[in-house]
Structures are given as C-alpha cells and as structure tokens.
Amino acid sequence: RRGRQQGGPQDADFALDIERVLAGVDRRTTVMIRNIPNKYTQQMLLDEININHTGTYDFFYLPIDFKNKCNVGYAFINFMDHRSIISFFHEFNGQRWSNFNSEKVCALSYARIQGKLAMIARFQNSSLLEKDCEYRPLLFVSNGADKGMPEPFPLGGRARGAAQYGTSHGAGNSHGAGGSGGHHHHGHGHHHGHGHGHDHDVEEAAS
C-alpha cells in the first residue's frame, strides 16, 4: 500500500480540501479517517465522534484485524450532508487522539467508494456481516423521524444464504472475511496478499 501513496495523481483525487467543501465545489460525503491508534475499538471511536457529530452520518466502519483483535488504523464514515464534514474536519484533522496517549495525528481524506448506497453494495455480500457487531460495517437511518438511529444492513444473496445455513458454518470464514467476496473484487489484484483476512473487503474502499 505505501508504495502506491507517493504523491501521485491518485492521492490528489482523494485529498480533502476544506476550502472546496466550504465553497460547495466538492460535495463528496464519504471520508476516510486515518492514523487511528490500533487499540481503539469501534465503540470508543464512535463515542468520541458522537460528542459533537451524532446524527450526522449514516455509514461507519472501523476495520478490525481478526488475528490480533486490533483496528488496522483507519475507518470510513459517510455524512448525510457534505457540509457536516466542515465541523468534523476542524475537530479531528491534524489533532492527536484523546485516548492511549498516542503520538498519532488524525488525518482525513476522501474514500474511493462514495456514498451510503455504494458502501452497502460493497459490503452486503461480505462474511463480515456474519460477525459480531463490533466487526461489522454499521448503517444508520438517513432521514425522517428516526434519522441517525441504527439501521440493519441489507444482506446480499451470499450473506443471506450463509445466515440461513447457520452461524456455526459461517464461523469457519472468520479468517477470510475478505476472500468470501472474491467474485466481486472487480479485478483489484494489487490488494491481494496483505495477510489480513479483512483486506480484500476494506482496501478497495480505501484506495
């Protein structure tokens, strides 16, 4: 991964320029949160975000390395309104994290996959959805009276079949969450071989 992040044109495509957001020129809504201390759990990160940003986002995912039960250092969040990124950016970007006395400094950029619907399409066939809540991508209601409330993830055909087949059988996939969706990787061969079971599922959203 690092070899591809050398300041080429791809990096510029994902740079979050807050002035462009303020001007309404860039209306992308899905942000990648980077440099997260590895000990942060999903709930710890959400608790920190929700102090000032509750009800502003409808998708959240903190990928976890199943082997060591630690996050992999980045997360994805989709805001219902691109303007919500402005206050989020000012609070988090360039700031140190409040827990674990970490030296890491939060950095925000845009995710490659943009929007709640695109993220649903990306993950609805993933074996991640068979796992405990803290490992799964999370959805929240985007509008109406229940805006911001948790929303069940719609299962794709593969995940539905696995759920009916029984969780005891699905559990056998725990080390290969990424590989389970191999039929919809769209040829991103450069993501293979990272050694973490989740990588195929999350790296494509990131890069």
Side-chain angles (χ1 to χ4, degrees), residues 174-191:
S174 62
H175 62 281
S180 67
H183 58 280
H184 59 210
H185 289 330
H186 309 301
H188 292 277
H190 54 263
H191 295 308

Side-chain angles (χ1 to χ4, degrees), residues 62-128:
L62 175 66
I64 302 292
D65 184 321
F66 302 130
K67 289 177 184 168
N68 62 25
K69 302 291 194 288
C70 290
N71 79 68
V72 298
Y74 53 82
F76 301 98
I77 186 167
N78 183 69
F79 292 96
M80 302 170 199
D81 187 322
H82 71 278
R83 290 168 295 191
S84 297
I85 290 174
I86 298 166
S87 60
F88 189 83
F89 181 92
H90 287 310
E91 180 174 349
F92 286 99
N93 193 67
Q95 303 300 312
R96 294 211 356 217
W97 297 91
S98 59
N99 288 308
F100 303 119
N101 293 319
S102 175
E103 296 294 320
K104 291 187 176 181
V105 173
C106 176
L108 303 180
S109 59
Y110 285 114
R112 184 181 69 81
I113 296 178
Q114 283 290 317
K116 180 182 182 181
L117 292 178
M119 284 294 191
I120 290 173
R122 181 68 195 87
F123 289 106
Q124 67 180 1
N125 281 302
S126 170
S127 64
L128 286 168

Side-chain angles (χ1 to χ4, degrees), residues 2 15 17 58 73 88 95 109 169 174 181 186 194-197 204-205:
R2 287 199 181 97
D17 182 341
D58 52 16
F88 189 83
Q95 303 300 312
S109 59
H169 296 278
S174 62
H186 309 301
H194 291 279
H196 298 308
E204 289 186 26

Side-chain angles (χ1 to χ4, degrees), residues 123-145:
F123 289 106
Q124 67 180 1
N125 281 302
S126 170
S127 64
L128 286 168
L129 301 182
E130 300 163 29
K131 300 191 174 303
D132 293 336
C133 190
E134 65 262 31
Y135 295 112
R136 289 186 221 155
L138 302 178
L139 292 181
F140 303 88
V141 178
S142 302
N143 45 50

